[in-house]
Amino acid sequence: MINTSGVRTVCAAGAAVVLMGSSAPAEAAASHGGLGPSARTAVAVGYGGAVSSVDPDATEAGMEILRSGGNAVDAAVATAAALGVTDPYSGGFGGGGYFVYYSATDGRIRTIEGRETAPAAMREDAFLDKDGEPIPFAEAVTSGLGVGVPGTPGTWEYAVDSWGRKPLARVMRPAIRLADEGFVVDATFAEQTAANQERFADFPATARLFMPDGRPPEPGTVLRNPDLADTYRAFVREGAAVLDGDIGAEIAATAADPPVNPDSARDVRPGLLTAEDVADYEVIERAPSHVEYRGLDVYSMAPSSSGGSTVGEALNIMEAARDQAAYSTGDTADTWHLMLEASKLAYADRNNYVGDPDHVDVPLRTLLSQDYADERACFVDTRTAQQAPVAPGNARDGNGCTAAGLPSDNGTEGPSTTHLVTADHQGNVVSYTFTIEQTGGSGITVPNRGFLLNNELTDFEFEVADNGAGAANLPGPGKRPRSSIAPTIVLRDGDPYLALGSPGGSTIITTVLQLLVDRIDRGLTLPEAIAEPRLSQRNTPATLAEPGFFGTKEDKELTARGHTFTETREIGAATALEFLGDRRIQAAAEPERRGGGHAAVLRPQ
């Protein structure tokens, strides 16, 4: 483990919007540096390197760095920095995340934990009121109390300094240009702003930045963020040490005493962050999670994220149950039944055991062991669904067939976040997921700095349940809240085969699991697996399912086995790479979810 330290222009402080009338978004972007929504491509195949993200401008930022001779790490940070401009409600400078890197030089997987940390003054009862009851969740979200110390600046610096080829100044250049010149607002950005309009209006700096004329920007307009460009320039000059000075002090001051519109009726709770908390932040290089599945090596994030351990445990349980049942992999209902049953069991263990390993004892070796999964599979009936929620296994004693107590809940992670994947001609690969938690984070922008603060500390459990559940993920000084982020790299015979991930809060795990199952077990192509209707079973009585699932043969067969489904609009927004052999790469993104993503390769075939 390693620690590191006619055109009408409407202007307002820190922002400008150019209203392009009926001009096409691509035409608007042409004079302002952005590609625009019309440039989206869901699948690209070729050579020399690849980038896939949720946004064309961000993907192009990564591609620019690859074209200049940068590697996958440089491209990943460039893409992420650009997403901080164009997808600021999902991730950015004021948040954190998890970075998974495959090095072609030595064939090793390395990971960076850039998860936000709690202030030194935070105690277990931080989210309880004077009567000892949990405060309303919405109050915790839109508050200084939910703001953790950002880990994104440290992640970007550590990745580029440790494994990149280009200086930070070159890596950040596309994002700085994009923030200065602006990007074309698409329908998703406009909808997300509108959904947050009432909240954003309560914070003057946020309203000026994202609603400069008092309302959400229309699709096709160009949004600039010169304050963020200046913040990025300071980051280029100072690296993560920028948080030791004025910017770090301003982050702390904004969280400790959020600047609220004096006309607002919102009660915004103050936070506990200090400048010392921000300056003391360190990213951690952790060993990855790892399981073997059907002859492949699946690597992801270890705790404090529950992503890698839960996906890994579910895969191991599926392997065990399939062997016991002698299932073929050709039947979709059979495969998905095992996936849903394994997911229930893995989530039961996740909710009971996973937290920040620097503060709680996480039995990670057991959770990832095939022996333990073989025992957990004793609960799987290949024809009949278990009634969820199911109990956790006794991972402390390594006994998966013995219940270790009553079930815990999944926590309250927001469905936002953003994911990207990159690769280069040398064979290096990055899978990176980062976030500010809720869509729009805390809703609080650091004045004159151009970025929103996270509300990641709401990922902590607010209290321990009567049955003792939730203790592993209570708040604590310097503690990292449990996450579900699961950036994943799969190796086949030691070489990269797949790289993938998704946003979606606690549904991240099920999205990654289903992508792996649909690609590996069902034999769908990568684009087909991404487009397939998704299911999300998180040890709850009903399984979430997207609209396209209902009325299918699988719906009928799984319902007959005792599964219950509840409809939800969409689950996740994946980006992924597949390495096809002969140096060919397939980059894939969502064709529709969240408005569609954008995939690109350096040299199309």
Side-chain angles (χ1 to χ4, degrees):
M1 183 181 296
I2 301 174
N3 286 2
T4 69
S5 25
V7 176
R8 179 170 66 91
T9 304
V10 181
C11 296
V17 176
V18 182
L19 303 180
M20 303 304 295
S22 61
S23 298
E27 294 172 350
S31 62
H32 291 273
L35 292 176
S38 62
R40 297 178 192 273
T41 300
V43 183
V45 180
Y47 304 85
V51 180
S52 182
S53 82
V54 299
D55 179 74
D57 291 322
T59 294
E60 172 56 25
M63 294 300 295
E64 177 182 324
I65 295 303
L66 289 179
R67 287 192 292 267
S68 74
N71 67 9
V73 172
D74 300 321
V77 173
T79 304
L83 286 168
V85 180
T86 63
D87 193 21
Y89 305 152
S90 298
F93 205 74
Y98 300 86
F99 190 103
V100 177
Y101 163 60
Y102 169 81
S103 168
T105 302
D106 58 14
R108 289 182 57 193
I109 300 284
R110 295 174 170 87
T111 76
I112 303 171
E113 172 162 338
R115 182 62 159 164
E116 299 88 341
T117 55
M122 179 160 273
R123 299 294 182 263
E124 289 186 355
D125 62 355
F127 292 102
L128 303 182
D129 64 20
K130 59 183 176 56
D131 297 320
E133 296 297 322
I135 65 174
F137 185 70
E139 287 187 21
V141 167
T142 307
S143 75
L145 188 60
V147 178
V149 181
T152 293
T155 300
W156 293 354
E157 179 188 53
Y158 187 85
V160 170
D161 285 356
S162 300
W163 309 312
R165 296 185 62 192
K166 292 289 183 179
L168 191 60
R170 180 65 186 96
V171 169
M172 296 295 294
R173 190 181 301 167
I176 292 172
R177 183 175 64 246
L178 189 60
D180 270 331
E181 297 180 359
F183 68 96
V184 178
V185 171
D186 64 9
T188 299
F189 186 92
E191 289 169 4
Q192 290 176 339
T193 309
N196 278 286
Q197 182 172 0
E198 182 179 338
R199 196 163 68 114
F200 286 179
D202 288 335
F203 302 99
T206 305
R208 283 196 300 268
L209 178 58
F210 297 117
M211 303 187 300
D213 61 350
R215 64 180 188 274
E218 294 292 331
T221 61
V222 174
L223 184 67
R224 297 178 56 236
N225 191 343
D227 284 346
L228 183 59
D230 288 342
T231 297
Y232 280 174
R233 290 186 184 98
F235 175 60
V236 165
R237 292 191 301 270
E238 303 176 45
V242 73
L243 300 186
D244 298 348
D246 290 345
I247 293 178
E250 290 166 27
I251 288 172
T254 303
D257 186 15
V260 183
N261 186 327
D263 296 329
S264 172
R266 189 184 300 273
D267 182 13
V268 180
R269 293 174 181 265
L272 300 171
L273 274 189
T274 67
E276 290 75 20
D277 291 323
V278 179
D280 289 345
Y281 184 86
E282 293 182 327
V283 298
I284 301 173
E285 186 177 339
R286 294 197 189 275
S289 68
H290 171 241
V291 298
E292 295 180 7
Y293 184 68
R294 304 185 68 78
L296 303 169
D297 291 289
V298 182
Y299 292 92
S300 188
M301 278 307 311
S304 61
S305 180
S306 63
S309 62
T310 310
V311 170
E313 183 182 353
L315 291 173
N316 283 343
I317 294 170
M318 286 187 68
E319 190 103 81
R322 182 185 295 109
D323 289 346
Q324 294 168 12
Y327 265 176
S328 72
T329 58
D331 186 274
T332 298
D334 282 351
T335 301
W336 279 355
H337 173 73
L338 290 188
M339 178 183 75
L340 298 178
E341 295 301 282
S343 189
K344 292 173 187 174
L345 296 163
Y347 267 88
D349 288 343
R350 165 204 184 264
N351 298 346
N352 198 60
Y353 294 113
V354 179
D356 183 344
D358 295 331
H359 291 257
V360 297
D361 179 21
V362 181
L364 182 61
R365 185 183 298 273
T366 299
L367 295 177
L368 291 173
S369 74
Q370 188 62 57
D371 287 344
Y372 181 70
D374 291 346
E375 294 183 347
R376 294 297 276 150
C378 73
F379 291 104
V380 177
D381 184 317
T382 58
R383 305 306 305 174
T384 304
Q386 304 167 85
Q387 296 306 301
V390 302
N394 194 338
R396 302 243 179 256
D397 294 335
N399 189 338
C401 268
T402 301
L406 296 175
S408 307
D409 64 30
N410 286 304
T412 50
E413 291 175 76
S416 191
T417 301
T418 192
H419 180 76
L420 64 92
V421 284
T422 62
D424 60 38
H425 75 280
Q426 297 171 314
N428 302 299
V429 183
V430 171
S431 185
Y432 179 31
T433 315
F434 66 113
T435 180
I436 57 172
E437 182 56 10
Q438 230 72 25
T439 301
S442 65
I444 305 169
T445 295
V446 180
N448 304 312
R449 295 302 183 183
F451 61 89
L452 287 156
L453 291 176
N454 68 83
N455 65 288
E456 294 293 348
L457 301 188
T458 60
D459 280 354
F460 284 125
E461 302 292 339
F462 286 12
E463 64 176 346
V464 177
D466 292 340
N467 62 13
N473 191 40
L474 282 174
K479 191 175 181 181
R480 290 168 161 87
R482 182 182 65 205
S483 172
S484 296
I485 287 175
T488 300
I489 295 177
V490 181
L491 304 184
R492 181 168 56 189
D493 300 325
D495 295 322
Y497 169 46
L498 297 169
L500 66 155
S502 176
S506 61
T507 69
I508 291 172
I509 294 166
T510 57
T511 297
V512 170
L513 176 63
Q514 185 174 344
L515 287 172
L516 292 171
V517 166
D518 286 348
R519 177 67 191 94
I520 296 167
D521 291 336
R522 295 180 60 210
L524 302 185
T525 67
L526 184 60
E528 288 171 343
I530 289 175
E532 190 77 345
R534 290 191 185 129
L535 310 176
S536 183
Q537 170 48 247
R538 293 165 290 156
N539 198 26
T540 54
T543 296
L544 290 180
E546 292 182 325
F549 169 76
F550 291 94
T552 63
K553 173 176 174 284
E554 289 73 29
D555 174 17
K556 296 172 184 176
E557 291 186 13
L558 291 171
T559 298
R561 297 186 191 191
H563 294 281
T564 302
F565 298 98
T566 300
E567 184 171 331
T568 189
R569 177 183 171 188
E570 63 181 32
I571 301 170
T575 56
L577 303 176
E578 181 169 343
F579 300 86
L580 303 174
D582 299 325
R583 297 184 178 273
R584 286 193 309 146
I585 305 172
Q586 181 182 63
E590 294 287 355
E592 295 181 8
R593 294 180 184 93
R594 290 205 189 178
H598 183 57
V601 292
L602 200 59
R603 296 194 302 276
Q605 69 176 31

